[in-house]
Amino acid sequence: MKNRERYIAQLNRMHSGKGFIAALDQSGGSTPKALSQYGVEESSFTNDEEMYTLVHEMRTRIIKSPSFDSEYILGAILFENTMDRKIDGEWSADYLWEKKKIVPFLKVDKGLADVANGVQLMKPIANLDELLTTAVERNVFGTKMRSVIKEANATGIREVVEQQFAIGLQIFAKGLIPIIEPEVDIYSADKQKCEEILKEEIIKQLALLDKDVKVMLKLSIPTVNDFYRELMTDPHVVRVVALSGGYDQDEANSKLAQNHGLIASFSRALSEGLTAGQSDDDFNTKIGSTIKEIYTASIT
C-alpha cells in the first residue's frame, strides 16, 4: 500500500505540480566533460570507479543543496550508477523522495547508434528487464531514454518514435512511467520540418496505446512557440518537458518561457557556473539563482 500511495502521489505531482525536472544523468561518455565543466580534470581520476565517485560527489552536492527543493523541482533524472549509490546512507532515489519530495527517474538507454536515415536510434539496451526490476526495487518512479533526429527524414523519424514507444510499453508494464525523448538536434537545417513529422508520429503512437498507459514526453524546445500544446492534452501524456539541447542557460530559459505548459528538464543549463572550488555559500547561491530562473521559465 505504501508503494502504491507513493506512486499516486508522485504521479499527481508530475502531472500537475509547478516546477521542472533536474537532469542529473550524464553517463559514461559525457561524465568526463561534466566533471571538467565542474572544474575536475581527467588527471583527477585514473579509472571509471574513481570518476563515478567524483561525479556522485558532485551530484550529491547539488541534491543536498538547500536550493534543490521541491518548491521548484518536481523530479530528478539519475544515471544508473547514481541509483546504485547512496546519499547519507539512503539509496539516491529514496533520499530524493523521502528527504526532498522530488520524484526520482532513471536514465535507461545505453547511448546512440550511428546515424542512419537522418537519425540516431538507441543502441540495444542490454539487460533492460533486470535494470527495470532494480529500479522498481529502489523506488524509482520512471525512466528516460534518448534518441536524436538530425534530418527531416520521415522514415528515420518514424523508426525513432516506434522504437521509443515499443520500449516505453515494456517500461510501463514493469510499473514505471517512461519519459520518451526523441530529441531534435537544435542545429538541424530542417529543425521545424523535423518537429512537424515528429509530432505526427507521436500522435499516431499515442492513438495506439491502451487507455491506461501513461507516458511522458521530453522534446527539444520547438521552433514554433506552443507547437506541442496539442500533445499536452492527450490523456496518455502525464507531462511534456523540454531539454536544453545545447542552448546556454539564458537562451534555454528565454525560449522555454515562450512555450506555455512546457516545463524544463535541463542538464547543462542547470549545472552551468557550478565548480568544485566554490565555497558552499557561493555554490548554493549560484545553483539557487539558476533553479529559480529555470522555475520561472517553466511556469510562465
Side-chain angles (χ1 to χ4, degrees):
M1 178 60 70
K2 180 183 176 183
N3 286 344
R4 181 63 182 171
E5 289 174 352
R6 183 201 307 240
Y7 174 83
I8 295 299
Q10 292 176 342
L11 182 64
N12 290 337
R13 181 163 171 75
M14 292 313 309
H15 179 62
S16 56
K18 287 187 175 182
F20 68 95
I21 297 175
L24 304 174
D25 59 325
Q26 297 95 344
S27 56
S30 57
T31 296
K33 183 177 180 180
L35 283 171
S36 177
Q37 291 170 339
Y38 183 58
V40 178
E41 300 303 328
E42 291 195 38
S43 58
S44 301
F45 51 88
T46 58
N47 55 49
D48 283 353
E49 178 58 27
E50 291 178 1
M51 177 183 72
Y52 288 132
T53 296
L54 288 169
V55 82
H56 187 65
E57 290 173 359
M58 177 185 77
R59 289 167 178 154
T60 296
R61 192 181 189 193
I62 291 171
I63 290 169
K64 290 184 67 175
S65 170
S67 301
F68 199 85
D69 183 83
S70 60
E71 180 180 355
Y72 305 105
I73 299 171
L74 296 174
I77 304 171
L78 306 176
F79 174 49
E80 181 181 350
N81 191 275
T82 307
M83 178 187 72
D84 290 338
R85 292 176 184 260
K86 294 184 177 183
I87 300 174
D88 289 354
E90 291 189 74
W91 293 115
S92 296
D94 283 332
Y95 185 92
L96 279 167
W97 182 248
E98 299 297 340
K99 295 292 192 291
K100 297 277 189 168
K101 285 296 177 276
I102 292 172
V103 180
F105 291 83
L106 173 68
K107 168 188 164 71
V108 295
D109 69 82
K110 301 299 183 183
L112 301 168
D114 293 336
V115 177
N117 292 327
V119 304
Q120 288 180 278
L121 296 170
M122 292 181 286
K123 291 180 179 177
I125 306 175
N127 303 316
L128 176 60
D129 191 70
E130 180 181 339
L131 177 59
L132 297 177
T133 297
T134 301
V136 171
E137 292 171 350
R138 299 273 165 82
N139 293 315
V140 168
F141 170 76
T143 65
K144 190 215 81 156
M145 51 190 176
R146 171 177 172 261
S147 313
V148 175
I149 297 166
K150 294 181 173 294
E151 299 173 7
N153 182 306
T155 298
I157 294 173
R158 183 173 62 253
E159 290 173 342
V160 160
V161 177
E162 287 178 349
Q163 183 191 43
Q164 284 274 347
F165 273 83
I167 298 175
L169 283 171
Q170 183 179 348
I171 291 165
F172 184 79
K174 293 289 287 190
L176 300 161
I177 300 294
I179 298 178
I180 288 168
E181 183 184 4
E183 174 183 345
V184 175
D185 190 331
I186 64 170
Y187 303 109
S188 170
D190 6 342
K191 180 173 178 285
Q192 183 175 340
K193 183 62 177 175
C194 291
E195 291 161 352
E196 292 170 358
I197 299 170
L198 174 62
K199 186 167 79 168
E200 289 178 4
E201 292 299 330
I202 290 174
I203 289 171
K204 289 177 185 176
Q205 289 298 316
L206 289 172
L208 297 174
L209 298 178
D210 290 341
K211 65 177 182 177
D212 294 331
V213 176
K214 301 290 184 184
V215 301
M216 293 175 61
L217 301 171
K218 182 170 178 175
L219 307 171
S220 303
I221 301 172
T223 305
V224 176
N225 292 335
D226 292 332
F227 185 66
Y228 293 127
R229 288 294 291 272
E230 181 180 357
L231 299 177
M232 297 175 191
T233 61
D234 189 286
H236 297 290
V237 178
V238 176
R239 205 72 180 255
V240 182
V241 306
L243 54 104
S244 53
Y247 295 124
D248 66 25
Q249 180 186 321
D250 289 342
E251 190 172 9
N253 286 339
S254 175
K255 289 180 178 295
L256 180 67
Q258 298 174 63
N259 286 269
H260 303 88
L262 193 63
I263 68 171
S265 177
F266 291 172
S267 172
R268 210 169 324 179
L270 174 67
S271 59
E272 188 176 306
L274 301 178
T275 63
Q278 287 170 321
S279 67
D280 286 344
D281 284 346
D282 288 345
F283 182 92
N284 291 331
T285 297
K286 175 56 182 173
I287 195 172
S289 174
T290 297
I291 285 170
K292 289 176 183 177
E293 289 171 0
I294 297 174
Y295 171 83
T296 299
S298 294
I299 66 170
T300 301

